[in-house]
Structures are given as C-alpha cells and as structure tokens.
Amino acid sequence: MATKTKKLSLTDFPEKEKTVGNIDVKVYGETSYENQMAVLSHWLHNHRRETTKEEQVEIIDAIRDFLSRKEFRQKIDIDEMTDGEVLMAAEDPAQYDLFSQFFNVPFPSPDNPKFTFIDLFAGMGGFRIAMQQLGGKCVYSSEFKASAQQVYLANYGEMPFGDITKESTKRYIPDHFDVLCAGFPCQAFSAAGARKGFADETRGTLFFEVARILKEKRPKAFFLENVEGLVNHDRGRTMRIILDTLRSLGYKVSHRVLDASDFGVAQARRRIYIVGTIDKEVSLDDFPVRRATVGDVLEHGKPLSDNRITKLLLKKFSLDELYGKSIKDKRGGGDNIHSWDIGIKGETTKAERTLLDKMLTERRKKKWAEQWGIDWMDGMPLTRKMIASFYAGKDLDKLLESLVKKRYLVYEHPKKRVTKKTEGGVSYNVREEDESKPRGYNIVSGKLSFDISKILDPNDVSPTLVAMDMNKLYVCDNGGLRRLTLREGLRLFGYPEEYVLGMSERDGYDLLGNTVVVPVIKAVAERLINGISKQNN
C-alpha cells in the first residue's frame, strides 16, 4: 500500500539561528526551506508580476509558513486569514511590518528600474550590484551553494533558487526580462553531437541550461563571464561551440578577454566576457584604463600572525625584501623564497643552498628524460652523475648526504607514465616509480604546504585570486605579517564597502575566489545596456 507523502513546511525542521547582515537566516539543512525562502523573497520583490494558479498556491503556502513562525503569532492570526488576505499582507509589507528584513538590506532594487535581468550562477551577486548600479532590477536569481545563498539573501533580500538544471527551479523564471546574466562554469562538451546544434553538442553541460533559457525566453540581451582558459579549452572547440550556439539563437555576439587590473582593481585577473543582443554587436574594445595597487585596499593595525614561518621570514628578510615574494620550492628565480632559504627543515650552508637552487632549475629540463629513457615530467630526480655535470664542487657527495638527511632532498626512482582505464573504459595516465631505473636525488616538495603562499606587494597588483589559495595570502602591516582580510579581499574584487560577508574566513575566501570583478562587469554591462537602449529608440 502506497504511503502518502507528507507535505513539508518550514516548521517541520529544527531551527538554528544564523545572523548574516541584518537578516536572521534559519538554517534547516533541507532544500525545502531554501526553496520556500526563494519563493517568498522573490514574490516580495516582484509581486506585481502575473502568476499562475500553481504558483499562487506555492506563494501562499510559503507566506503562511513564514508568518506562522513564533515571532509573528502574537501579531497576526494566520489560521483566520484567507488566501487573499495573505497575498495582500505580502503585497504591502510596510503596512504590517512583517517582511522588513527582506528590504532592510545594503543593496535594494531601484525604485524605477530602467531594465530587468536575471542572475544565474549568481554566487555573491557581483553581477547584481553592477546591474543595479546601472538602473536594473533583478527578477530572478539562481545559485546552488548554500553559503552563497545566505550572503545573497543578506545583501539583496532574496534567497536565490537552487540547482538550475532542475525543472522545478527553472519554472520560476519569468517569461519577460531584458538581460540574462551568468557566470557559468566551464565544462567540456561531448563530441557526440556531430555539430547538430546546442541540443546535441552541449547537452549535459551548464551552458546548455543558459542556451535553453535564451531560446525559450528570448531576452533582448545576455552577458556571460568565464575563466580565460575557456578560449583554448579543448583546443578551442568549447569556445567555438559556445559562440556558434549563441549565434544560432539569433544573437549578435561579441567577446573579449579583459584584465581587471585595467579597471581600477588591484588584481591581475583575466576573464573572458561574452555579450550579445538581438540586433547589433556591442564593442568591447578601448575601455579607458584605470590603475590601482594593493596598497590602496589595505586595512591597517590588524592582528599579526605569529606562526613559525612568519618568524623565520622576518628573521631572514626585511619587510621590503618580502614584497611580492612567493614561498614555495616549485620554481627558481628571485621572486621565490625556498624552504632552504629560511631553514624550515633546518639551517643550510651557502654551498647547500647553491646546489639546491641549481637542481631546482636543472630538474625541469627535458634532456634528463632522454637519459633516463622515460617520458618527461616537470621535476625529475637526477643521478649523482647528472648532478656532477653541472656542479663541479668536490664536496658534492657530502652535500647530497647532508641534504637527504635534512629532508630537503629525497633519494628515489624516476617515475614512468602508466596508462590505466576506469571501469567505464576511460583511459587516464598516472606516474609510478620505475624500479628498473637507478635512484636519483629530487627536491622533496613541489609546493610547500605552509601557512603562506605569497606576500602581496603594496606597490603592485595581486595575482589572480583563487579560492584554494586565498587564505595563504599575506600582507605586511605594522612591522609584521598577517593574512589578507575578507574586507581587503572584497576590495580586490571591487565590491562596495557596504557589502556584508558575515561568515568565517574559510567560507568567505571560498566565495571570493570564484566571484566576478564588479567594476569590469559594470563597464561591460554599461555598453550592453546602452546598445539595447539605442536599439529600442
């Protein structure tokens, strides 16, 4: 006998308070809560749009659940309200003061919008800030990651809908809006489509969802952002399919790789921007260049780090000497400080450091692979005979023995490339030690797993910030070293000072490393919106 599925509501889940900005977020750990919050918050901000009967039922349920929470029970008797009265309460939230938390946010929508847009793969809402600054109103947002949803709610008063690949999420997209915005992830496309169009070649990718929405809703324009690697991804095939697909949908498409450091942002971040309108290509050439440095975004007087590696660095170098330095053993050159330079595993002599510096460069040369008789790899072990060919000192054996003992070098077999297959028959390559070959000496670690990866130069721009590395970026402050703060990270992406990022550093860095650069989005969007306006006149 089939059992009837119980209808879930907000009150079915144990509440856990989490305050983000001005909004008390209820974390239930269930997707039904996020979805109901998305339904409710989108309705509050866009209640004048037409809805189907099915949508109205869902909206009324979400409002009833919200109003039935304990803080409202003394103000209003939900059980006695008709559906029409429930909708009226939501349509005039100021009258009842029931929904003020959804409007008392840093970035409210403009009162008299010039255009409308939807925000897909919304992340922290970098697209939304830029588009609102230009007079746009967001009428739909979608974001899968829970931490991004909470931050989005705190800053814009809307909980984004979740997984855009699901029909239950896409059905909330309104029929009419002007611009589709999306910072969609880069994915490889199947070769099975044989160039028959996006339905065959892009199916199963997130770009397919973007293309499908463009085809069904026919907005006046779109604005896409992605990593620079998209240009050459899969030998250029991915980019070619994307452009062909967009053009096949009837859009005039422009694209350009732009660097955030040219737009007044102190970060070298190259991304590809793709825009399109129905009638005319939008030029992405000749943007005015504005410059900024890391020093422009730094806070001062923040707590300093006092870990072992900072002590070693400050013992060996002055702050000026640390500007722009990376802490790693993967490369040579003057921009890198190596483990042996500061004695992380023990003090080294000048001769030992000279040998290690030379080996660090030599081990990357392809000629050694030929001598080993194996496929080349970046960073190969070298035999004593190989090392003696570029190091003529008589103390070589003594140095090698000492460095192995101190664990700066490891004595190991070279690695051969071995092809394996998954259970599904997909081939992949791995590296395994070839014990038939003699052992050689190799640098122990390719990249140090220590607290610091790079110390930013206040007189320069930062490198491209990525989620996995942001918590290891350090700056100089008040005679010492400390981690980059979340506020400084927000400034390196051009976010306004009012932006709320009320979460742990770990979660904040994760979101920042994947967000867009607001000033670049605004500069490109301004041309796109102007292009639409001219076409309408």
Side-chain angles (χ1 to χ4, degrees):
M1 179 178 176
T3 58
K4 186 177 180 179
T5 302
K6 182 180 182 293
K7 183 179 179 181
L8 299 177
S9 66
L10 293 178
T11 53
D12 289 325
F13 303 104
E15 297 182 4
K16 180 181 177 183
E17 290 280 0
K18 181 181 176 118
T19 301
V20 184
N22 293 322
I23 295 180
D24 292 330
V25 178
K26 304 285 186 179
V27 182
Y28 292 81
E30 296 285 344
T31 56
S32 63
Y33 166 71
E34 284 80 12
N35 189 68
Q36 281 194 301
M37 282 293 285
V39 169
L40 172 60
S41 58
H42 277 72
W43 168 255
L44 291 172
H45 289 272
N46 301 284
H47 65 266
R48 291 181 178 84
R49 72 176 180 86
E50 293 183 4
T51 56
T52 64
K53 290 183 178 180
E54 181 184 25
E55 286 178 313
Q56 281 214 3
V57 169
E58 196 165 6
I59 290 165
I60 291 169
D61 284 346
I63 296 171
R64 284 189 181 278
D65 273 351
F66 184 80
L67 295 179
S68 66
R69 295 188 325 189
K70 57 187 177 184
E71 61 261 41
F72 296 121
R73 287 175 184 166
Q74 293 179 353
K75 298 181 181 180
I76 190 168
D77 189 347
I78 306 304
D79 295 333
E80 296 298 319
M81 292 180 68
T82 66
D83 288 351
E85 289 171 334
V86 169
L87 284 176
M88 286 178 64
E91 289 176 1
D92 191 3
Q95 178 181 346
Y96 291 90
D97 194 29
L98 299 176
F99 305 96
S100 59
Q101 65 192 97
F102 294 95
F103 297 89
N104 184 23
V105 291
F107 305 100
S109 296
D111 293 330
N112 298 299
K114 299 176 182 177
F115 62 94
T116 58
F117 66 96
I118 66 172
D119 194 5
L120 307 181
F121 312 101
M124 295 169 53
F127 266 104
R128 182 161 182 161
I129 288 180
M131 299 296 274
Q132 286 188 177
Q133 288 176 347
L134 295 171
K137 178 178 177 60
C138 184
V139 293
Y140 175 87
S141 58
S142 171
E143 168 56 47
F144 181 76
K145 185 175 288 188
S147 58
Q149 286 181 323
Q150 293 173 15
V151 170
Y152 201 96
L153 176 63
N155 285 280
Y156 312 105
E158 287 182 17
M159 172 75 80
F161 288 96
D163 188 350
I164 195 63
T165 65
K166 295 182 178 179
E167 292 302 318
S168 59
T169 300
K170 284 195 285 282
R171 69 186 176 90
Y172 296 103
I173 301 174
D175 289 331
H176 305 292
F177 58 90
D178 296 316
V179 186
L180 177 150
C181 300
F184 69 98
C186 177
Q187 294 172 281
F189 294 146
S190 170
R195 309 198 67 77
K196 294 180 181 178
F198 84 87
D200 291 296
E201 289 196 274
T202 70
R203 192 178 301 279
T205 70
L206 293 173
F207 174 73
F208 170 77
E209 304 299 340
V210 174
R212 180 180 169 187
I213 294 167
L214 287 174
K215 183 178 182 180
E216 292 179 358
K217 305 296 185 180
R218 303 299 298 164
K220 298 174 184 177
F222 65 80
F223 184 179
L224 311 180
E225 183 264 6
N226 212 299
V227 296
E228 181 188 15
L230 180 66
V231 176
N232 297 314
H233 189 262
D234 194 13
R235 299 182 180 180
R237 181 175 176 274
T238 300
M239 185 66 180
R240 186 168 60 252
I241 292 175
I242 287 173
L243 295 177
D244 288 348
T245 298
L246 295 170
R247 287 166 179 149
S248 73
L249 295 174
Y251 288 95
K252 308 295 183 183
V253 184
S254 306
H255 62 93
R256 187 76 67 236
V257 172
L258 301 172
D259 193 327
S261 64
D262 293 331
F263 292 79
V265 178
Q267 180 188 174
R269 191 178 189 86
R270 291 172 60 84
R271 291 292 186 267
I272 186 164
Y273 299 87
I274 310 171
V275 299
T277 71
I278 296 294
D279 297 322
K280 187 177 180 180
E281 286 190 16
V282 175
S283 172
L284 299 183
D285 296 325
D286 302 322
F287 285 97
V289 175
R290 295 182 293 115
R291 300 294 186 193
T293 64
V294 168
D296 297 327
V297 307
L298 293 182
E299 299 183 285
H300 300 286
K302 294 296 180 179
L304 302 177
S305 297
D306 192 32
N307 53 46
R308 180 170 176 263
I309 192 169
T310 59
K311 290 178 179 177
L312 289 171
L313 286 166
L314 293 172
K315 180 180 177 181
K316 299 285 185 178
F317 300 94
S318 68
L319 290 180
D320 288 352
E321 290 173 324
L322 292 173
Y323 288 169
K325 293 295 191 294
S326 296
I327 319 300
K328 59 185 178 183
D329 288 350
K330 193 173 183 179
R331 296 286 187 270
D335 290 335
N336 294 329
I337 294 174
H338 309 109
S339 60
W340 49 87
D341 293 324
I342 54 177
I344 288 177
K345 300 176 183 179
E347 292 295 331
T348 56
T349 66
K350 183 178 180 180
E352 288 174 337
R353 292 193 293 274
T354 299
L355 175 58
L356 286 166
D357 288 341
K358 189 66 176 175
M359 287 183 63
L360 190 64
T361 302
E362 287 287 335
R363 65 199 275 270
R364 302 185 61 214
K365 294 183 178 179
K366 295 185 177 181
K367 67 178 183 179
W368 305 121
E370 297 175 4
Q371 292 189 29
W372 278 118
I374 59 175
D375 293 326
W376 177 82
M377 63 177 292
D378 188 359
M380 306 182 70
L382 304 175
T383 64
R384 185 200 181 284
K385 181 178 179 181
M386 292 173 178
I387 297 171
S389 69
F390 58 80
Y391 186 87
K394 295 181 180 180
D395 56 350
L396 179 57
D397 291 319
K398 180 181 177 181
L399 294 177
L400 292 173
E401 181 182 355
S402 174
L403 291 170
V404 170
K405 186 176 181 180
K406 294 176 181 177
R407 294 182 296 111
Y408 287 108
L409 291 179
V410 62
Y411 194 50
E412 64 182 8
H413 296 285
K415 294 179 179 178
K416 60 184 176 181
R417 183 164 60 186
V418 178
T419 301
K420 296 186 175 183
K421 288 188 176 182
T422 65
E423 293 182 359
V426 178
S427 298
Y428 65 99
N429 294 322
V430 296
R431 288 282 181 170
E432 296 179 353
E433 284 197 21
D434 187 347
E435 296 183 0
S436 69
K437 307 289 185 184
R439 290 181 177 178
Y441 298 89
N442 205 351
I443 306 291
V444 168
S445 58
K447 184 174 183 180
L448 295 177
S449 298
F450 290 106
D451 293 336
I452 304 177
S453 64
K454 190 176 183 67
I455 300 167
L456 301 183
D457 184 346
N459 304 308
D460 200 354
V461 298
S462 82
T464 301
L465 304 182
V466 295
M468 63 182 296
D469 212 30
M470 281 194 67
N471 67 328
K472 294 185 178 182
L473 293 177
Y474 273 58
V475 298
C476 300
D477 187 5
N478 197 26
L481 296 170
R482 62 167 175 81
R483 273 208 302 261
L484 187 76
T485 67
L486 288 179
R487 179 54 58 188
E488 290 164 341
L490 285 165
R491 292 171 181 171
L492 287 172
F493 284 91
Y495 276 82
E497 292 298 294
E498 300 82 9
Y499 193 89
V500 175
L501 194 59
M503 56 178 52
S504 69
E505 283 190 344
R506 179 179 179 179
D507 288 340
Y509 290 137
D510 178 60
L511 292 182
L512 277 170
N514 293 296
T515 193
V516 297
V517 179
V518 175
V520 187
I521 296 294
K522 183 178 180 181
V524 174
E526 187 169 22
R527 292 194 178 181
L528 181 65
I529 301 307
N530 287 340
I532 296 174
S533 300
K534 291 177 181 178
Q535 293 168 22
N536 292 339
N537 292 334

